[in-house]
mmCIF file of all heavy atoms in Angstrom:
data_model
loop_
_atom_site.group_PDB
_atom_site.id
_atom_site.type_symbol
_atom_site.label_atom_id
_atom_site.label_comp_id
_atom_site.label_asym_id
_atom_site.label_seq_id
_atom_site.Cartn_x
_atom_site.Cartn_y
_atom_site.Cartn_z
ATOM 1 N N SER A 98 -75.463 -14.797 -12.224
ATOM 2 C CA SER A 98 -76.694 -15.065 -12.962
ATOM 3 C C SER A 98 -76.639 -14.359 -14.307
ATOM 4 O O SER A 98 -76.154 -13.218 -14.414
ATOM 5 C CB SER A 98 -77.919 -14.581 -12.173
ATOM 6 O OG SER A 98 -77.997 -15.221 -10.920
ATOM 7 N N PHE A 99 -77.177 -15.040 -15.330
ATOM 8 C CA PHE A 99 -77.135 -14.523 -16.697
ATOM 9 C C PHE A 99 -78.513 -14.642 -17.321
ATOM 10 O O PHE A 99 -79.302 -15.521 -16.960
ATOM 11 C CB PHE A 99 -76.102 -15.279 -17.520
ATOM 12 C CG PHE A 99 -74.751 -15.366 -16.857
ATOM 13 C CD1 PHE A 99 -74.428 -16.443 -16.035
ATOM 14 C CD2 PHE A 99 -73.815 -14.364 -17.023
ATOM 15 C CE1 PHE A 99 -73.206 -16.517 -15.399
ATOM 16 C CE2 PHE A 99 -72.578 -14.435 -16.392
ATOM 17 C CZ PHE A 99 -72.273 -15.506 -15.582
ATOM 18 N N SER A 100 -78.785 -13.790 -18.270
ATOM 19 C CA SER A 100 -80.119 -13.737 -18.872
ATOM 20 C C SER A 100 -80.373 -14.870 -19.854
ATOM 21 O O SER A 100 -81.513 -15.092 -20.255
ATOM 22 C CB SER A 100 -80.313 -12.384 -19.584
ATOM 23 O OG SER A 100 -79.322 -12.207 -20.582
ATOM 24 N N SER A 101 -79.333 -15.573 -20.256
ATOM 25 C CA SER A 101 -79.493 -16.672 -21.213
ATOM 26 C C SER A 101 -78.462 -17.750 -20.919
ATOM 27 O O SER A 101 -77.549 -17.563 -20.107
ATOM 28 C CB SER A 101 -79.332 -16.154 -22.650
ATOM 29 O OG SER A 101 -78.049 -15.566 -22.822
ATOM 30 N N ARG A 102 -78.599 -18.870 -21.586
ATOM 31 C CA ARG A 102 -77.676 -19.981 -21.380
ATOM 32 C C ARG A 102 -76.258 -19.583 -21.804
ATOM 33 O O ARG A 102 -76.062 -18.937 -22.827
ATOM 34 C CB ARG A 102 -78.140 -21.194 -22.196
ATOM 35 C CG ARG A 102 -77.276 -22.449 -21.995
ATOM 36 C CD ARG A 102 -77.806 -23.586 -22.834
ATOM 37 N NE ARG A 102 -79.129 -23.968 -22.399
ATOM 38 C CZ ARG A 102 -79.377 -24.814 -21.415
ATOM 39 N NH1 ARG A 102 -78.364 -25.362 -20.745
ATOM 40 N NH2 ARG A 102 -80.614 -25.115 -21.087
ATOM 41 N N LEU A 103 -75.279 -19.990 -21.008
ATOM 42 C CA LEU A 103 -73.897 -19.686 -21.322
ATOM 43 C C LEU A 103 -73.366 -20.622 -22.401
ATOM 44 O O LEU A 103 -73.847 -21.744 -22.549
ATOM 45 C CB LEU A 103 -73.024 -19.829 -20.077
ATOM 46 C CG LEU A 103 -73.220 -18.807 -18.954
ATOM 47 C CD1 LEU A 103 -72.347 -19.183 -17.763
ATOM 48 C CD2 LEU A 103 -72.881 -17.409 -19.429
ATOM 49 N N PRO A 104 -72.374 -20.178 -23.152
ATOM 50 C CA PRO A 104 -71.728 -21.078 -24.113
ATOM 51 C C PRO A 104 -71.091 -22.273 -23.400
ATOM 52 O O PRO A 104 -70.844 -22.236 -22.187
ATOM 53 C CB PRO A 104 -70.662 -20.194 -24.763
ATOM 54 C CG PRO A 104 -71.090 -18.800 -24.499
ATOM 55 C CD PRO A 104 -71.808 -18.821 -23.191
ATOM 56 N N LYS A 105 -70.782 -23.298 -24.134
ATOM 57 C CA LYS A 105 -70.198 -24.509 -23.570
ATOM 58 C C LYS A 105 -68.873 -24.190 -22.876
ATOM 59 O O LYS A 105 -68.021 -23.480 -23.420
ATOM 60 C CB LYS A 105 -69.966 -25.523 -24.686
ATOM 61 C CG LYS A 105 -69.406 -26.857 -24.195
ATOM 62 C CD LYS A 105 -69.212 -27.828 -25.354
ATOM 63 C CE LYS A 105 -68.635 -29.155 -24.868
ATOM 64 N NZ LYS A 105 -68.423 -30.101 -26.000
ATOM 65 N N ASN A 106 -68.720 -24.696 -21.649
ATOM 66 C CA ASN A 106 -67.510 -24.550 -20.829
ATOM 67 C C ASN A 106 -67.230 -23.115 -20.396
ATOM 68 O O ASN A 106 -66.137 -22.828 -19.888
ATOM 69 C CB ASN A 106 -66.279 -25.101 -21.564
ATOM 70 C CG ASN A 106 -66.362 -26.591 -21.814
ATOM 71 O OD1 ASN A 106 -66.881 -27.335 -20.989
ATOM 72 N ND2 ASN A 106 -65.862 -27.041 -22.963
ATOM 73 N N ALA A 107 -68.193 -22.212 -20.553
ATOM 74 C CA ALA A 107 -67.959 -20.808 -20.193
ATOM 75 C C ALA A 107 -67.639 -20.643 -18.712
ATOM 76 O O ALA A 107 -66.811 -19.797 -18.339
ATOM 77 C CB ALA A 107 -69.173 -19.975 -20.565
ATOM 78 N N GLU A 108 -68.273 -21.457 -17.854
ATOM 79 C CA GLU A 108 -68.051 -21.325 -16.425
ATOM 80 C C GLU A 108 -66.635 -21.725 -16.023
ATOM 81 O O GLU A 108 -66.203 -21.444 -14.891
ATOM 82 C CB GLU A 108 -69.077 -22.142 -15.637
ATOM 83 C CG GLU A 108 -68.960 -23.652 -15.790
ATOM 84 C CD GLU A 108 -69.668 -24.180 -17.035
ATOM 85 O OE1 GLU A 108 -70.076 -23.373 -17.889
ATOM 86 O OE2 GLU A 108 -69.809 -25.419 -17.129
ATOM 87 N N ARG A 109 -65.896 -22.361 -16.915
ATOM 88 C CA ARG A 109 -64.515 -22.760 -16.626
ATOM 89 C C ARG A 109 -63.515 -21.681 -17.021
ATOM 90 O O ARG A 109 -62.330 -21.789 -16.716
ATOM 91 C CB ARG A 109 -64.185 -24.067 -17.368
ATOM 92 C CG ARG A 109 -65.019 -25.253 -16.916
ATOM 93 C CD ARG A 109 -64.748 -26.465 -17.789
ATOM 94 N NE ARG A 109 -63.333 -26.799 -17.802
ATOM 95 C CZ ARG A 109 -62.776 -27.633 -18.690
ATOM 96 N NH1 ARG A 109 -63.522 -28.175 -19.646
ATOM 97 N NH2 ARG A 109 -61.486 -27.894 -18.632
ATOM 98 N N SER A 110 -63.982 -20.637 -17.681
ATOM 99 C CA SER A 110 -63.107 -19.541 -18.107
ATOM 100 C C SER A 110 -63.393 -18.301 -17.259
ATOM 101 O O SER A 110 -64.387 -17.610 -17.465
ATOM 102 C CB SER A 110 -63.322 -19.223 -19.594
ATOM 103 O OG SER A 110 -62.671 -18.013 -19.943
ATOM 104 N N SER A 111 -62.491 -18.012 -16.322
ATOM 105 C CA SER A 111 -62.663 -16.811 -15.506
ATOM 106 C C SER A 111 -62.593 -15.559 -16.359
ATOM 107 O O SER A 111 -63.243 -14.552 -16.062
ATOM 108 C CB SER A 111 -61.591 -16.761 -14.416
ATOM 109 O OG SER A 111 -61.755 -17.812 -13.493
ATOM 110 N N GLN A 112 -61.812 -15.610 -17.439
ATOM 111 C CA GLN A 112 -61.706 -14.459 -18.330
ATOM 112 C C GLN A 112 -63.046 -14.145 -18.987
ATOM 113 O O GLN A 112 -63.427 -12.976 -19.107
ATOM 114 C CB GLN A 112 -60.646 -14.711 -19.414
ATOM 115 C CG GLN A 112 -59.218 -14.770 -18.892
ATOM 116 C CD GLN A 112 -58.780 -16.181 -18.536
ATOM 117 O OE1 GLN A 112 -59.558 -16.962 -17.986
ATOM 118 N NE2 GLN A 112 -57.537 -16.505 -18.849
ATOM 119 N N TYR A 113 -63.767 -15.189 -19.408
ATOM 120 C CA TYR A 113 -65.066 -14.965 -20.043
ATOM 121 C C TYR A 113 -66.073 -14.418 -19.037
ATOM 122 O O TYR A 113 -66.801 -13.461 -19.333
ATOM 123 C CB TYR A 113 -65.602 -16.259 -20.652
ATOM 124 C CG TYR A 113 -66.988 -16.091 -21.248
ATOM 125 C CD1 TYR A 113 -67.158 -15.522 -22.506
ATOM 126 C CD2 TYR A 113 -68.126 -16.465 -20.540
ATOM 127 C CE1 TYR A 113 -68.419 -15.335 -23.048
ATOM 128 C CE2 TYR A 113 -69.394 -16.285 -21.068
ATOM 129 C CZ TYR A 113 -69.532 -15.723 -22.318
ATOM 130 O OH TYR A 113 -70.788 -15.530 -22.846
#
Side-chain angles (χ1 to χ4, degrees):
S98 301
F99 309 91
S100 59
S101 59
R102 183 180 296 275
L103 291 175
K105 182 179 179 181
N106 296 324
E108 67 276 11
R109 296 174 56 194
S110 169
S111 294
Q112 292 92 321
Y113 177 80

